[in-house]
Amino acid sequence: MPGRTKAPASARLRVEQVRSGIGRPANHRRTLEAIGLRHHQDVVVVNDTPSMRGMLFQVRHLVEVAPVQEG
């Protein structure tokens, strides 16, 4: 697909929940749980896959994402 780049196989992302899911639509709360975020200020490291990017895009206003520096 034009405009898309393939991430390295071992690419990882650090995801921190910076805003609460309280009062948000149910699909946003379920997405946070699917990512592995259970509560405000929780941090998880996830694989950088297209499906994970889609979930992060859906809740982009609730999380901060940074690449993990391997090495």
Side-chain angles (χ1 to χ4, degrees):
M1 295 178 110
R4 296 207 181 214
T5 59
K6 211 171 192 185
S10 63
R12 310 271 287 165
L13 298 172
R14 178 184 185 274
V15 183
E16 179 179 4
Q17 185 176 348
V18 295
R19 296 188 59 117
S20 175
I22 296 173
R24 303 295 177 174
N27 63 331
H28 289 187
R29 293 192 308 271
R30 287 193 309 264
T31 301
L32 289 172
E33 287 182 23
I35 292 170
L37 298 167
R38 302 293 180 228
H39 50 80
H40 179 62
Q41 295 183 340
D42 203 2
V43 177
V44 294
V45 177
V46 296
N47 290 326
D48 185 6
T49 63
S51 60
M52 183 57 66
R53 289 281 180 142
M55 287 191 283
L56 294 172
F57 184 79
Q58 186 177 25
V59 293
R60 64 191 178 276
H61 55 290
L62 305 176
V63 298
E64 284 184 357
V65 180
V68 173
Q69 298 297 329
E70 304 274 339

